[in-house]
Amino acid sequence: MSSPALHLAVEIDGDGAHPAAWRRAAHSPDELLTPRRVSRVAAVAENAGFTLITLDDGVLPPGAAPDPVGRIGAVERAAFVAASTSTIGIAPVVPVTYAEPFHVSSQLASLDHISAGRAGWVVTEEERPEAARAWGRPPVDGADARARESRDGVEVARALWDSWEDDAVIRSVATSRYLDRERLHYIDFTGDTYAVKGPAIVPRPPQGQLVVLGRPDQVPAAQLDVALVGGRDLASVTAAAAAAAAAGTPRVFAEVEVALDTPDATAAERVADLERHAPWSDRGKLRHIGSADQLVSLLAELSRHVDGVRLHPLVLDEDLSVLSGLVVPTLSARRLVARPLPGTSLRSTLGLARPANRFTAAAAAAAAAAAAAAHAATGTAPATATAETTQEDVR
């Protein structure tokens, strides 16, 4: 771990992790799909000091009758939240099993510009065959095939984010030119099922590369900034975290479902009330059902093994208030979490360096190799390169 601070993420899609969470929500069902709702929840999370919010998504409805089944696209919600928040990171869930990576990379780069560098991306899979029909695409069958699409999709998105060098946009009034086309690059990607040439249609994101989160069994660790690891008990979570760290993922977050005691009912009573309507399916995540103090103890133990946690509240309107009023303040008082600072990017908050542009780095390496070769051939000292570029150098 890079620091003693535990980073807290919270999933805010819908009304909560339980499919019948809407039955205990503090609003009418028709308010769920309104800007006011998502803005209010994001504001609570930001004011509490969470590092990151995530927004689940998929091409298929998130539930089945009689539960509400509608949702607005995660990227659209994230863009709206970005304009109404200032410090919290925002990471929509965007599967690339069927979606075009070129369009996904453009949407996410735009989100990073809108949020001034606070955007992330949770990579997931579309597993149900109905998703292929919704996209009008042939089904991608099997875990290996879905992992291939995720791997290729992340590779394409990352390459496209680099296809504009940081200084490609010159905005030269003297020459009436907006950009230097010599600093745009083709990525020339060819995978098993598609090819992408590029370059992107959006300038390089403020972070250079957005923070990419995902499960290491679905996306190669080398492509992830944050591995999301599950496990039904603490031992399995810590084992998965150790494996992800050994694989080279810079940060590791544990997935934790939470149901907390509230002034009106215990956590167990609240879960039992919802279980009368629908089961809370086991998704292979660590699950805490109990008091806020017990959750604090669990998170303190997890902080020894992971860099952060992504919390999935049973019912947002009930559990988020307990998290923001009791859990996060207690963790802050014990100096186990740190509040994001204004003006910092999500990468900076997580202690991740801004990556160099691959094309700029390749050009610099080639220039250095050429200078070394010339030095070897002539016996003269190579010239020292400078980082300065004059107006005459731009062409």
Side-chain angles (χ1 to χ4, degrees), residues 1 3-6 8 233-239 241-242 252 254 256 286 288 292-309 327 331 334-337:
M1 293 173 57
S3 70
L6 185 73
L8 299 179
D233 54 47
L234 189 59
S236 59
V237 170
T238 56
V252 180
V256 184
L286 184 61
H288 170 78
D293 288 341
Q294 291 170 332
L295 178 60
V296 168
S297 298
L298 173 62
L299 297 182
E301 177 62 26
L302 282 171
S303 70
R304 299 169 51 195
H305 308 282
V306 298
D307 302 285
V309 295
V327 176
L331 291 170
R334 295 174 59 176
R335 298 189 177 182
L336 291 174
V337 299

Side-chain angles (χ1 to χ4, degrees), residues 266-281:
T266 67
E269 290 170 343
R270 294 172 54 234
V271 171
D273 177 54
L274 294 177
E275 292 289 281
R276 295 185 297 110
H277 305 285
W280 192 9
S281 301

